[in-house]
Structures are given as structure tokens and as C-alpha cells.
Amino acid sequence: MDAGIEQLLAEGRHARAFDLVVPAYKDRVFRLAYSILKDRAAAEDAAQETLVRVWKALPGFDGRAALGTWIYAITRNTCLMELRRRRPTVSFDDPDSTEAQHAAASVATGPAEDPERDNLLRLLETLPHNQQEAVRLFYLEDRSYDAVAEQLGMPLGTVKNLLHRARKRLMELARPDEVKAA
Amino acid sequence: MNDPTLIGPCADYEHDLVELHDGALPPERASVVRLHVAQCARCRDWTQAFAALDARLAAELPRPVLTAHFEARLQDRLAALSRPAARGDLNGALEHEHDALLAALRRGARRNALLGAIGWATAMACAFLAARDLLPEMRGALASVPAGTEPWMVFGVVGVAVAIAGLAWSGVRGGLPLPGLVR
């Protein structure tokens, strides 16, 4: 697929190439955005923004990087901009904010006494961001190390390490009673 | 039973156990690791606990999908961006600047043509006046002019012809100072 797209780009047929980029990449771009933003609607908006940027920049694509690598880099940048944009607006005054809800829950109960401690998704939230992203993406991409490495722009070994540490930590966190007893 | 997450697997096999479970271990290494797991209770327990966690993650992590109108929404956005009126401030400013430059060039061309015509007419008038003063000396040279023709009339006709030629040349080069004839 990418070879066909890159051939069209080499021939200067950018519009036709973009027509092929959208069906080939929209879902992967969306899943990558979701793994970073952790919000379906925000991820869809980021996927839209990413593809608009790809559309604008496609005539300048020089083929030095693989097309997928280039598109995923744009996706990650778009998501990072969204995260930066959100950061100053996180507020306890906005009860609909996901971050505010999580923060309020942590303040109310404290992480050590959270009654929903065995909730795997909550446990995942306690991991470093890069580990969370790797885990989410790994399962969204049907347990493909290669897909995660390509989309996160990391070496394969780094991805394996991230996933290993994340899941090992989750195994420990998922058994709090035994941990306390020990 | 001991908690495998507290004790953990044999250190030499820990990463391999994970990759074996994920199906990412090379076949020759996978055989070695399977043989070890069959003989090591710690690694076996840890592998089972890991498999349980893996199954839970696969089942419980959300798997969102794009909404049905994603592509239609994208095409709408691209269509809006493609319209000239919506190309953005930069494109609009560039087009405006280009139009202003063309208008200035046209105004300059008209002014140059007008000045050129005035210059030619002035030069012809000066030449005509000078010729009148030189008439007595030039009578001999104008012997071929038909009898009864005043010499200043001859110079006047020549001057007007040269002025017309100058206007025509100016029109070809930069446009006449007449509306609708500017190139």
C-alpha cells in the first residue's frame, strides 16, 4: 500500500495519494491518538487534525522517512500539542474534565485506600505515561510489538522493555492484599 | 501457594517468558524456555499470573473505533480549506499584494506613455521654431519644394509626422495614455 502511495507522490499526484492515505492510516492514527490522549472524542479530533496536516504537507513529503513514520510523527506532535493546550485548563472547577475527576477521586480517597484498587484501568493510570501509552497501543494493535514501535517512534527493544515493566508492575498492583501481607 | 508476583520468575527467563507468551520469541529459544517452564514451578506460576493479567488487559482496555462520519467530516474540512476565500490570511494577503502591484504597474505605464507623448510634442515644437529661424539659410536646400509652398509648412508637416510616429512607438512599448489601450 505504502509503495503505491509513494509512487503516486513521486509522480506528483498528491490528491490521489491522499485518497489512499486516509483509508490506510485513519484507524491507526486514531488508535495512536487514543493511546496518548485516553479520550475517544479528543482522539478523533486529533486524527482529523493529523490528516489535515498530512494533506497540507503531502506535496513536501520527500521520502527520507517512511510514510508511516512521517504520519505517526505528525500524529504524536498533534497529540502533544493537544496535551499542552489542555494542561493549563485542568481545573477542579470543571467537573466534566476527566483529569479533574481523576484528581478529585485521588484527593478524596488516596491511592492507597482506593476501594476500586483492583480496577485494572485505574491501576494503569498510575503507571508512567510512556508505559500507559505502550500498553494501550499494544492491545489496540493486537499485541504487535512492531506496530507499537513504529507508531511511538521507538526502537523495538525499548518498547519491549516498556511493556515488560508496565505489565510486571500491574501484576504487583493487581494483588494488593498479598502485597500487604508480604 | 506463593504469590508469583512477589517471588517472580527466574531472572534469566523473565523477559523470555513474556515474549513467549506474546508469541515474539524465536522458535529455537522458545523451545528452551518451554522446557524450563515445564521444570520450574516459579516460572510456571509467574507465567500463569502473567497470562491472566494479559487476558484481563485485552478484555478490559477500551477498544474505541472511529465514528461513521469521520471521513465525511474530514472531506468537509478539506473542501473548506480548498476554497480560495478560505485559504487563510496569508494567501489572501499575497493575492491582494499581487493585484495592487499589477495596478501600480499599469498606472506607471500610462504615466510614462503620457510623459513620452508630451516630451515628443515639445521636442517637435522646439524643432519647428528653430526651423523657422533657419528658413532663410535653408531656402537653397528647399528648392525642390513645389512653388507657392511656405517652407515653415514643410517643417510643420514633418514635425507632426514625427510626433505621430513617436506616439505610435510609445503605444507599442508601454501603452498609450488612452483608457482601454493599456496592455
Side-chain angles (χ1 to χ4, degrees), chain A residues 137-155:
Chain A
L137 199 53
F138 183 68
Y139 288 96
L140 282 173
E141 292 295 343
D142 296 326
R143 297 184 175 94
S144 166
Y145 284 120
D146 290 330
V148 175
E150 185 187 14
Q151 293 184 30
L152 290 181
M154 293 175 177

Side-chain angles (χ1 to χ4, degrees), chain A residues 18 26-27 30 34 40 44-45 48-49 55 118 139 142-143 145 160-161 164 167-168 175 178, chain B residues 3 14-15 18-19 22 24 50 53-54 56 58 62-67 70-71 73 77-78:
Chain A
F18 185 75
K26 64 176 182 177
D27 290 311
F30 170 68
Y34 178 81
R40 204 210 62 78
E44 183 156 328
D45 286 346
Q48 285 269 336
E49 185 61 30
W55 177 75
D118 60 346
Y139 288 96
D142 296 326
R143 297 184 175 94
Y145 284 120
K160 286 181 178 177
N161 264 325
H164 180 77
R167 289 185 289 181
K168 188 177 177 185
R175 293 171 173 258
E178 288 90 335
Chain B
D3 180 359
E14 187 174 321
H15 282 82
V18 172
E19 289 196 37
D22 290 335
F50 182 84
L53 173 82
D54 178 70
R56 282 187 65 192
R63 300 179 76 85
V65 293
L66 286 169
T67 53
F70 177 82
E71 279 202 50
R73 193 174 140 217
R77 282 189 68 182
L78 297 181

Side-chain angles (χ1 to χ4, degrees), chain A residues 47-62:
Chain A
Q48 285 269 336
E49 185 61 30
T50 297
L51 289 172
V52 168
R53 290 183 184 191
V54 167
W55 177 75
K56 287 179 180 172
L58 208 51
F61 175 68
D62 56 13

